[in-house]
Amino acid sequence: QYALTKELDILGIVRSYALETHDNQVALILEDFGAISLRDYCKTHCKTHRLDLQTFLAIAIQTAQILGELHQNRIVHKDLKPANLLINPA
């Protein structure tokens, strides 16, 4: 993941800053932009009420745009699911 994303400049892709080793384990240092997974967002917000159409479409359009840019860079996300989509509700 580090090798694939360190050179990408795509708005919406979490930036990879470094690959560190510690105690014989590897840690990927990623950008922190206050995001939560779409799965966690829906667990807390979608139980009390459904996503409004405007929010749903904003998430869907941004996801499609980001995936399109990834594909232009010959990268295919092989595990696309709400747990792997990060959003910043703010």
Side-chain angles (χ1 to χ4, degrees):
Q1 181 178 352
Y2 176 70
L4 288 175
T5 60
K6 70 179 183 173
E7 300 298 325
L8 286 180
D9 188 23
I10 298 174
L11 185 63
I13 297 293
V14 177
R15 297 196 186 281
S16 298
Y17 290 133
L19 196 58
E20 305 275 333
T21 55
H22 179 71
D23 290 337
N24 293 326
Q25 295 186 355
V26 179
L28 181 58
I29 311 301
L30 299 172
E31 170 186 25
D32 180 5
F33 60 97
I36 61 171
S37 73
L38 182 57
R39 179 187 67 189
D40 290 344
Y41 179 79
C42 285
K43 279 183 182 178
T44 59
H45 292 86
C46 300
K47 284 189 176 186
T48 57
H49 61 279
R50 296 180 129 197
L51 281 179
D52 61 272
L53 184 60
Q54 184 177 3
T55 302
F56 173 82
L57 288 175
I59 293 169
I61 290 167
Q62 288 176 10
T63 301
Q65 289 172 335
I66 293 166
L67 287 172
E69 290 189 54
L70 280 175
H71 291 171
Q72 288 176 351
N73 284 275
R74 300 182 181 266
I75 297 174
V76 176
H77 194 301
K78 294 184 179 180
D79 195 18
L80 193 59
K81 58 186 177 185
N84 292 338
L85 292 175
L86 300 178
I87 63 169
N88 185 333

